[in-house]
Amino acid sequence: MPATAAPAADPTPRAALHRLLRRMPKAELHIHIEGSLEPELIFALAARNGVPLAYPSVQALRAAYAFSDLQSFLDIYYAGASVLQTEADFHDLAWAYLERAAADRVVHAEIFFDPQTHTDRGVPMAAVITGLARACRRAEAELGLSARLILCFLRHLSEEAAFATLEAALPLREHFIGVGLDSSERGHPPEKFERVFARARELGLHGVAHAGEEGPPAYIESALDRLQVERIDHGVRCLESPALVQRLAARRMPLTVCPLSNVKLCVFGSMAEHNLPALLAAGLCATVNSDDPAYFGGYLNDNLVAAFDALPQLGRDQAYALAKNSFEASFATAADRARWTAQLDAAFAAE
Ligand code: ADE
Ligand code: ZN
């Protein structure tokens, strides 16, 4: 460029906002590791393990990712997970996610895994947990990203199966920090798992649950009252109950919101209709997360950019609030949360 050339035009406010969203440090609190299994890795692991696939190519598999609701997604998601068999597979899966997360400036991740999806196929619990835990340790050492695991119970299965899963995981207790509840929400209210969450609490585990994704506000109430959870995963239907919103806001009860997931699973007709701005305006501790990024079209920064592009009520203040909430809502130590929040303040001061 000649020395006399005019400097590049100032970035548009939109470009500056995108840069801030991408560069700000953040925590991811709602990511199913099996939902980060990209089609390319499904094919690689199928070849490695000799697993036959129902689709002839990566493109054909990706083309099948058109969902009408949560169940239509879960059917494909559980089928995809069948290629995961060995400790190395679980390590490789989690490592791929963690590298991707670090590129999105995720400094802390609390990662869900669904052991029953694997143990019910004969995969040893130890292969699942030690493989994931090895990737988490590696992320801390090589990426400076702190990563923790949350064991989720599949709510379409029985309470008895959830108890057996928790007991089977106990020899590996040091590798996970909490329990969660996921899978088909409708018809499987939180109270079905009241006793297993009480047992997990006795063991010093944190508790979170999916509620109010497709299910009604009453499921969110039940997750609070009967499971005594510390975060609600999704929770977007809380706005149907003003009394519940007041309760969630007063307690600063975090909601781990997943915008692209909600659009792909038809919880909202379009991103422009998403209620994230209303959740924030109501004073709720909302965070943005990717849920199942390999299936829903994007990782954490893709979710932020898609939401901010479609929703003009979201700007710099909301970007700051979402990242700050993500640290506040995490199960990290107070010292780590304060350090990341200071890094967030520095990122905003620099822009
Ligand atoms: N498992 C993976 N993604 C999920 C979601 N969005 N809701 C419930 N269970 C899930
Ligand atoms: Zn989820």
Side-chain angles (χ1 to χ4, degrees):
M1 186 198 286
T4 53
D10 279 347
T12 63
R14 183 111 321 249
L17 185 57
H18 284 183
R19 205 173 53 208
L20 199 51
L21 290 169
R22 293 187 189 286
R23 288 187 184 170
M24 66 184 188
K26 54 191 75 82
E28 174 140 69
L29 306 176
H30 185 159
I31 160 79
H32 301 263
I33 203 62
E34 294 88 350
S36 73
L37 180 53
E38 292 285 348
E40 289 79 4
L41 189 54
I42 290 184
F43 274 77
L45 294 180
R48 180 152 111 185
N49 294 324
V51 178
L53 291 176
Y55 296 89
S57 66
V58 163
Q59 292 71 21
L61 176 56
R62 221 184 270 283
Y65 292 177
F67 311 113
S68 52
D69 59 9
L70 175 57
Q71 193 59 50
S72 65
F73 154 69
L74 290 171
D75 293 341
I76 285 201
Y77 162 84
Y78 292 131
S82 67
V83 300
L84 294 161
Q85 300 196 344
T86 66
E87 191 267 3
D89 297 342
F90 287 94
H91 165 272
D92 294 353
L93 170 67
W95 181 247
Y97 161 70
L98 289 161
E99 281 196 301
R100 192 67 188 64
D104 276 0
R105 196 86 216 279
V106 171
V107 295
H108 176 72
E110 296 180 5
I111 300 173
F112 297 147
F113 68 106
D114 289 341
Q116 289 158 293
T117 302
H118 316 297
T119 54
D120 286 0
R121 296 181 287 114
V123 177
M125 179 69 82
V128 179
I129 296 184
T130 59
L132 297 176
R134 184 158 64 88
C136 291
R137 284 196 304 277
R138 191 175 163 199
E140 191 107 46
E142 296 183 28
L143 304 171
L145 191 167
S146 87
R148 301 288 181 268
L149 297 171
I150 294 179
L151 180 158
C152 288
F153 304 118
L154 298 182
R155 69 201 302 161
H156 68 274
L157 300 178
S158 66
E159 179 202 41
E160 189 188 1
F163 263 116
T165 300
L166 182 58
E167 292 303 322
L170 282 189
L172 300 148
R173 162 74 182 83
E174 72 199 274
H175 295 304
F176 55 99
I177 61 164
V179 296
L181 186 64
D182 62 6
S183 192
S184 321
E185 187 181 7
R186 286 200 194 107
H188 301 284
E191 59 267 25
K192 181 176 164 186
F193 297 94
E194 182 168 1
R195 292 183 299 183
V196 74
F197 270 69
R199 169 85 179 119
R201 251 194 330 279
E202 279 170 14
L203 292 164
L205 290 159
H206 292 289
V208 300
H210 284 54
E213 177 185 18
E214 285 188 340
Y219 281 26
I220 301 176
E221 303 267 12
S222 173
L224 297 174
D225 294 333
R226 308 281 294 270
L227 304 187
Q228 299 184 36
V229 295
E230 297 157 85
R231 291 198 298 252
I232 298 289
D233 295 313
H234 294 293
V236 291
R237 288 193 59 191
C238 71
L239 287 189
E240 294 168 30
S241 166
L244 175 58
V245 170
Q246 235 180 21
R247 181 179 179 194
L248 293 167
R251 283 181 58 181
R252 292 290 293 161
M253 176 59 60
L255 304 183
T256 62
V257 178
C258 305
L260 284 172
S261 165
N262 292 154
V263 174
K264 291 284 181 190
L265 301 188
C266 308
V267 172
F268 295 97
S270 70
M271 191 63 86
E273 296 164 65
H274 201 286
N275 67 10
L276 178 62
L279 296 172
L280 288 169
L284 294 166
C285 183
T287 65
V288 165
N289 307 270
S290 67
D291 205 8
D292 301 285
Y295 292 89
F296 299 149
Y299 288 77
L300 183 39
N301 285 355
D302 302 312
N303 272 272
L304 286 166
V305 167
F308 277 67
D309 278 355
L311 296 158
Q313 310 93 311
L314 298 179
R316 186 182 163 95
D317 291 349
Q318 288 73 21
Y320 180 82
L322 289 166
K324 189 159 187 289
N325 290 348
S326 76
F327 299 135
E328 178 186 335
S330 79
F331 297 134
T333 64
D336 280 341
R337 287 186 274 121
R339 184 164 49 85
W340 296 322
T341 303
Q343 289 170 2
L344 175 67
D345 289 343
F348 270 73
E351 286 289 336

